[in-house]
Each structure stands twice: as C-alpha cells, then as structure tokens.
Amino acid sequence: MKLAREVKTGIIAIGGILLFIMGFSYLKSSPLFDNSKTLYAVYDNIGGLQTGTQVMINGYTVGKVNDIRFKDKSGKLLVTFSVSSEFEFSKNSLAELYDTGIIGGKGIQIVPNFEGVMVESGDTLRTESKPGLTDLVQDNLGPLKEGLENAFSNADSLLVNVNDLL
C-alpha cells in the first residue's frame, strides 16, 4: 500500500506539533498529564516568594508555586500553588511561609491536618508566616542596641569627667 504525499506530509506535521507541545511543557517543567491539585493561600506579605518555588510537606517536595497576584484592592496577595495528589490532607491544614535559607528566599510548607474534609482542587488553605533568621536577629538586636547606647553615653560622661579632672 502506497501512501499519498499529502498523507505523509500530514503525519509529519502532526508529529512536529506534538513534539513542539511536549518540548514546550518539558522546558516549562510542567508535566503534560498532571494529576496535581491547585490550591490557594492568601498572605499579607510574601517577603520575596517567587513563582516556581517548591512547596513542601515534612521536608519533601510535593509541588510548586504557580502564580502570585493581588487578591483585591486591600493589598493582600493570592498565591496559587499545585500539590501532588499522592498525599491526602484536610482543608484545615496550614500553608506556612518560611525562610528557605540564611541568604533569603521564601518557601511554602504545608503543615498537614488529617481531621475534617479532605482538600480538593480549588480550595484555599489557612496561612501563617513563620519568622525567619533575619526577623529573629532584628527582634533581638533592639535590646542590644539600647544597651550599647547606654554604655556609650556612660562612657562619654565618664570621659567628660576625666577631662574636667585633668
């Protein structure tokens, strides 16, 4: 059986289109046949969270951040992320924003809760922001700064008295 030239051209064109779609999804690092759930979280401040950041459960990567945009005119940010369907947890779970390292960068860590209705695609999780290392240092730096200011003012008055004495 001999195939017509038009049929061969059509097969090659369809094959090329399929290869383009598969290559594009590979470069975008989003699987073509995805069975993940799309979830949402609303934050006041995301502190440098970026799209493509990994989403973790107990230190294991289960998804990634897909989109970040303003929710409304209040300035709150709506974070859209996908989570693999292989691990089940409830709608009462917490999407916690945490520091990924010393230099900076934020990630989302899901603190799973197994009581209640299981999460489905399109649900919004409760949110919380975990203070990072820089936040803790800044909080503890205030009392140290006040102590140093008091020590310098005492040293200054001491040097003025020594100068008067001499």
Side-chain angles (χ1 to χ4, degrees):
M1 179 171 151
K2 195 170 184 181
L3 293 176
R5 184 176 279 183
E6 292 84 9
V7 175
K8 291 178 186 176
T9 304
I11 291 172
I12 291 173
I14 290 172
I17 291 170
L18 288 175
L19 281 174
F20 174 76
I21 291 171
M22 289 177 10
F24 187 73
S25 69
Y26 173 75
L27 289 175
K28 217 170 116 178
S29 60
S30 63
L32 202 54
F33 305 107
D34 193 13
N35 65 344
S36 63
K37 300 172 190 169
T38 301
L39 302 174
Y40 301 97
V42 179
Y43 295 99
D44 291 329
N45 184 356
I46 57 171
L49 182 73
Q50 297 179 353
T51 58
T53 302
Q54 296 176 346
V55 176
M56 307 273 218
I57 295 178
N58 298 334
Y60 178 67
T61 303
V62 292
K64 68 174 186 165
V65 175
N66 296 331
D67 189 29
I68 302 170
R69 63 183 59 209
F70 286 107
K71 182 180 177 195
D72 51 24
K73 295 187 191 248
S74 67
K76 293 187 183 258
L77 296 161
L78 178 68
V79 177
T80 306
F81 58 95
S82 59
V83 176
S84 174
S85 297
E86 69 184 56
F87 187 73
E88 292 289 327
F89 53 92
S90 75
K91 290 181 181 181
N92 299 331
S93 299
L94 184 69
E96 186 177 63
L97 200 61
Y98 73 101
D99 275 349
T100 57
I102 296 174
I103 296 174
K106 293 283 188 176
I108 294 179
Q109 170 179 298
I110 296 178
V111 180
N113 186 345
F114 303 105
E115 297 174 3
V117 180
M118 292 299 157
V119 72
E120 295 176 7
S121 189
D123 288 341
T124 301
L125 296 180
R126 295 181 304 121
T127 59
E128 188 175 284
S129 293
K130 187 176 182 181
L133 183 62
T134 54
D135 296 332
L136 294 173
V137 167
Q138 286 177 352
D139 290 344
N140 293 328
L141 202 58
L144 178 65
K145 180 182 170 189
E146 291 175 14
L148 284 173
E149 286 176 354
N150 290 337
F152 284 137
S153 66
N154 290 339
D156 183 47
S157 62
L158 177 69
L159 287 175
V160 166
N161 291 336
V162 168
N163 193 20
D164 289 343
L165 184 67
L166 291 176

